[in-house]
Amino acid sequence: MQTIGIIGGGQLGLMIAEQARLLGVRTAVLDPAADAPAFAVADERIVAAYDDAAALEELCRRSDAVTYEFENVPGDVLIPLAERYRIPQGYKPLYDSQDRLREKENARRHGFRTPEFAPVDDRASLRAALEWIGYPAVLKTRTLGYDGHGQQVLRSEADFEAACRLLAVPCILEQFVPFDYETSVVVVADRNEAVSFPMGRNVHRDGILDLCFVPAAIEPALERRIRRTAEAFMRSAGYEGILAIELFVRGDAFYFNEMAPRPHNSGHYTIEGTTTNQFRELVRYLTGEKLRQPELVAPTVMKNILGQDLEAAERIAAEGHENVFVHLYGKTESRPKRKMGHITFVGMTADGYAAQWADRFVR
């Protein structure tokens, strides 16, 4: 029986481990928190920091293949391990995703259109970037930002001083794209083939994904172009494994926003909403099994559950509704805006969700 090592024991590690178990694959998980969600399912547990080289090496020794569910694993620790152990995705997609400037340059180099962007290190370079890109624009920290953290929208000169607070670290200024909607494509690829999941429309609130409506109602030719571009991007960049790419869509144009070399929040609906899911196909990739092309089971809505909606989600779980699947991640501390779970409504449209379910959650 094969063992997959997972660096990170959060909800993504939990769901990877759950799908691995269903496929008869063992898991070993490393996380600094003794109560990490994935430890509830993992066959082996290592409590250690992400930069603990000895602990990471021990995880690799115990595993037939290693993956990561967390972007901020230090590359200088992972790179030498990738030379000695089987880390099929390698460090490159992780490394490229850890710096927004490098990420955007890489996306443009390998076939994606991006918003205009410029590196910003101080007030003077912010001024110069604004003169070129213009208002509105978005200033983001180059590293460590997530779920709306580490960014500031500049709509006019009145926002300049507030944005300067981010300049304690290197930043990037990006053109604000007046998009029609946001979407994402999740691709799993090995050396021979690539599969991608049905795309949804992503709705964010305060920088955090709130809802995903699948299918996205994208014009079929545009969706085919996005899928082809994403798969070609992975080949051109030399990536394998799983990659989620967030996109802005405006008319028949689409713009690369960011990528994640791991399962993605917008793909959680796939556990019940498609014939196979993002976690299962990642496991198949890691264990060398043939990938399977997913198909949508029915229109599906995924609702992210943050701390403020945890009690509502628990009540819905207790009610036992048909085709309503409540996933709670088992985190021991709940707080507003912390991801505590998600609910998948299979056979549900956006209008149906608005009429039947939206009032159950904090607005």
Side-chain angles (χ1 to χ4, degrees):
M1 182 181 293
Q2 294 192 58
T3 298
I4 292 174
I6 306 170
I7 304 172
Q11 62 265 22
L12 301 180
L14 168 68
M15 288 181 275
I16 295 170
E18 288 174 337
Q19 293 299 314
R21 177 166 288 184
L22 291 173
L23 290 173
V25 177
R26 299 177 74 257
T27 53
V29 173
L30 180 148
D31 195 276
D35 60 352
F39 285 165
V41 180
D43 297 283
E44 300 184 44
R45 304 156 189 82
I46 298 175
V47 180
Y50 296 123
D51 60 357
D52 185 328
L56 285 167
E57 181 135 11
E58 178 63 24
L59 178 74
C60 291
R61 278 199 296 265
R62 297 185 190 183
S63 306
D64 297 291
V66 174
T67 190
Y68 32 76
E69 62 106 62
F70 180 69
E71 277 104 320
N72 295 318
V73 179
D76 58 349
V77 175
L78 193 62
I79 290 171
L81 291 173
E83 296 172 353
R84 301 197 303 278
Y85 298 98
R86 186 167 179 264
I87 305 177
Q89 289 177 266
Y91 67 87
K92 194 171 186 298
L94 183 72
Y95 174 79
D96 289 343
S97 70
Q98 288 177 333
D99 182 315
R100 286 191 169 105
L101 178 61
R102 184 166 59 236
E103 182 182 56
K104 286 289 193 305
E105 291 172 340
N106 184 62
R108 186 174 285 182
R109 185 181 309 119
H110 293 291
F112 269 108
R113 178 185 298 185
T114 74
E116 296 295 346
F117 61 89
V120 171
D121 299 309
D122 51 29
R123 296 171 68 94
S125 56
L126 177 57
R127 284 285 185 201
L130 282 167
E131 287 180 10
W132 173 51
I133 292 174
Y135 294 103
V138 186
L139 184 68
K140 302 178 180 179
T141 58
R142 283 174 53 176
T143 62
L144 300 179
Y146 67 97
D147 286 345
H149 298 285
Q151 57 185 268
Q152 174 75 42
V153 177
L154 292 90
R155 301 188 183 280
S156 69
E157 176 64 24
D159 297 317
F160 183 85
E161 290 301 327
C164 285
R165 297 171 191 157
L166 294 180
L167 297 179
V169 296
C171 292
I172 179 174
L173 187 74
E174 299 179 10
Q175 173 191 17
F176 185 90
V177 177
F179 54 86
D180 299 327
Y181 56 91
E182 295 182 51
T183 189
S184 52
V185 57
V186 177
V187 182
V188 181
D190 59 22
R191 293 184 180 182
N192 301 312
E193 62 180 329
V195 300
S196 56
F197 288 83
M199 295 165 57
R201 293 201 182 200
N202 301 334
V203 178
H204 289 76
R205 180 180 296 177
D206 299 328
I208 303 173
L209 183 67
D210 182 36
L211 292 159
C212 184
F213 300 105
V214 190
I218 301 175
E219 200 275 325
L222 176 59
E223 182 167 356
R224 287 193 295 271
R225 282 173 49 214
I226 292 174
R227 289 174 184 267
R228 285 198 301 266
T229 302
E231 292 176 12
F233 168 77
M234 288 188 71
R235 298 301 185 203
S236 178
Y239 298 160
E240 287 187 16
I242 191 165
L243 190 74
I245 303 172
E246 295 184 14
L247 303 158
F248 300 129
V249 179
R250 185 181 185 191
D252 63 354
F254 55 93
Y255 300 81
F256 177 102
N257 179 32
E258 61 185 28
M259 71 180 200
R262 54 162 175 77
H264 196 255
N265 201 170
S266 66
H268 291 355
Y269 83 90
T270 62
I271 296 173
E272 292 88 17
T274 52
T275 51
T276 184
N277 62 70
Q278 61 172 346
F279 306 98
R280 180 168 292 199
E281 293 313 303
L282 174 59
V283 173
R284 285 197 170 106
Y285 163 76
L286 293 168
T287 57
E289 289 190 34
K290 182 176 176 57
L291 302 178
R292 299 185 184 180
Q293 178 63 47
E295 301 293 339
L296 189 65
V297 171
T300 299
V301 176
M302 192 280 294
K303 165 66 177 172
N304 225 9
I305 300 300
L306 306 184
Q308 61 267 30
D309 285 319
L310 180 58
E311 291 185 2
E314 291 171 338
R315 286 193 293 270
I316 291 170
E319 292 165 5
H321 298 275
E322 186 177 6
N323 294 325
V324 176
F325 302 91
V326 181
H327 295 259
L328 301 179
Y329 302 148
K331 296 181 180 179
T332 54
E333 180 187 355
S334 174
R335 57 180 182 270
K337 298 189 178 182
R338 188 182 192 197
K339 293 176 183 176
M340 302 301 296
H342 71 271
I343 302 178
T344 305
F345 302 87
V346 178
M348 181 65 61
T349 64
D351 289 343
Y353 173 83
Q356 299 174 47
W357 293 102
D359 289 343
R360 299 289 296 268
F361 304 105
V362 175
R363 291 179 180 254

Coordinates of all heavy atoms in Angstrom, one line a residue, residues 12 26 32 77 82 120 134 139 154 176 226 235 312 317 326 344 350:
L12 N -7.5 21.3 3.4 CA -7.1 20.7 2.2 C -6.4 19.4 2.4 O -6.7 18.4 1.7 CB -6.2 21.7 1.4 CG -6.8 23.0 1.0 CD1 -5.8 23.8 0.2 CD2 -8.1 22.8 0.2
R26 N -2.5 5.2 2.0 CA -2.2 5.8 3.3 C -1.7 7.2 3.2 O -1.2 7.6 2.2 CB -1.1 4.9 4.0 CG -1.5 3.5 4.3 CD -0.3 2.7 4.9 NE -0.2 3.0 6.3 CZ 0.8 3.8 6.8 NH1 1.6 4.4 6.0 NH2 0.8 4.1 8.1
P32 N 2.3 22.1 12.0 CA 2.8 22.6 13.3 C 1.8 22.5 14.4 O 2.1 22.6 15.6 CB 3.2 24.0 13.0 CG 2.5 24.4 11.8 CD 2.3 23.2 11.0
V77 N 14.0 24.9 1.8 CA 14.0 23.6 2.5 C 13.5 22.6 1.5 O 14.0 21.4 1.5 CB 13.1 23.7 3.7 CG1 12.9 22.3 4.3 CG2 13.6 24.7 4.7
A82 N 13.4 17.8 -2.9 CA 12.9 17.4 -4.2 C 14.0 16.7 -5.0 O 13.7 15.9 -5.9 CB 12.4 18.6 -5.0
V120 N 6.7 47.5 -7.0 CA 6.7 48.8 -6.2 C 7.4 48.5 -4.9 O 7.1 47.5 -4.2 CB 5.2 49.2 -5.9 CG1 5.2 50.3 -4.8 CG2 4.5 49.6 -7.1
G134 N -2.3 54.0 -13.9 CA -3.5 54.9 -13.7 C -4.4 54.3 -12.6 O -4.2 53.2 -12.1
L139 N -2.8 47.6 -5.1 CA -1.5 47.4 -4.6 C -1.5 46.2 -3.7 O -2.4 46.0 -2.8 CB -1.1 48.6 -3.7 CG 0.4 48.5 -3.2 CD1 1.4 48.6 -4.3 CD2 0.6 49.6 -2.1
L154 N -6.7 51.3 -4.9 CA -6.5 52.7 -5.0 C -7.5 53.2 -6.2 O -7.3 52.9 -7.3 CB -5.1 53.1 -5.4 CG -4.0 52.8 -4.3 CD1 -3.4 51.4 -4.5 CD2 -2.9 53.9 -4.5
F176 N -6.6 47.6 -12.2 CA -7.8 47.0 -11.8 C -8.6 46.7 -13.1 O -8.9 47.5 -13.9 CB -8.6 48.1 -11.0 CG -9.9 47.6 -10.4 CD1 -9.9 47.0 -9.2 CD2 -11.1 47.7 -11.1 CE1 -11.1 46.5 -8.6 CE2 -12.3 47.2 -10.6 CZ -12.3 46.6 -9.4
I226 N -10.3 28.9 -22.5 CA -9.7 29.0 -21.1 C -9.0 27.7 -20.7 O -7.9 27.6 -20.3 CB -10.7 29.4 -20.1 CG1 -11.2 30.8 -20.3 CG2 -10.2 29.2 -18.7 CD1 -12.3 31.3 -19.4
R235 N 2.0 22.9 -19.4 CA 3.0 22.3 -20.2 C 4.2 23.2 -20.5 O 5.3 22.8 -20.4 CB 2.4 21.8 -21.6 CG 1.3 20.8 -21.5 CD 1.8 19.5 -20.8 NE 0.7 18.5 -20.8 CZ 0.6 17.5 -19.9 NH1 1.5 17.4 -18.9 NH2 -0.3 16.6 -20.0
A312 N -25.1 28.1 11.8 CA -26.1 27.9 10.8 C -25.8 26.6 10.0 O -26.7 25.8 9.7 CB -26.2 29.0 9.8
A317 N -26.8 20.8 8.8 CA -26.4 19.4 8.9 C -27.3 18.5 9.6 O -27.6 17.4 9.2 CB -25.0 19.3 9.5
V326 N -22.9 18.9 3.9 CA -22.2 19.8 4.9 C -20.9 19.2 5.3 O -20.8 18.1 5.8 CB -23.1 20.1 6.1 CG1 -22.4 21.0 7.1 CG2 -24.5 20.6 5.7
T344 N -22.2 22.0 0.0 CA -22.4 21.8 -1.4 C -23.9 21.4 -1.6 O -24.4 20.5 -1.0 CB -21.5 20.6 -2.0 OG1 -20.2 20.9 -1.7 CG2 -21.7 20.5 -3.5
A350 N -28.3 29.2 -9.1 CA -28.1 30.5 -8.3 C -29.4 31.0 -7.9 O -29.5 31.5 -6.7 CB -27.3 31.5 -9.2

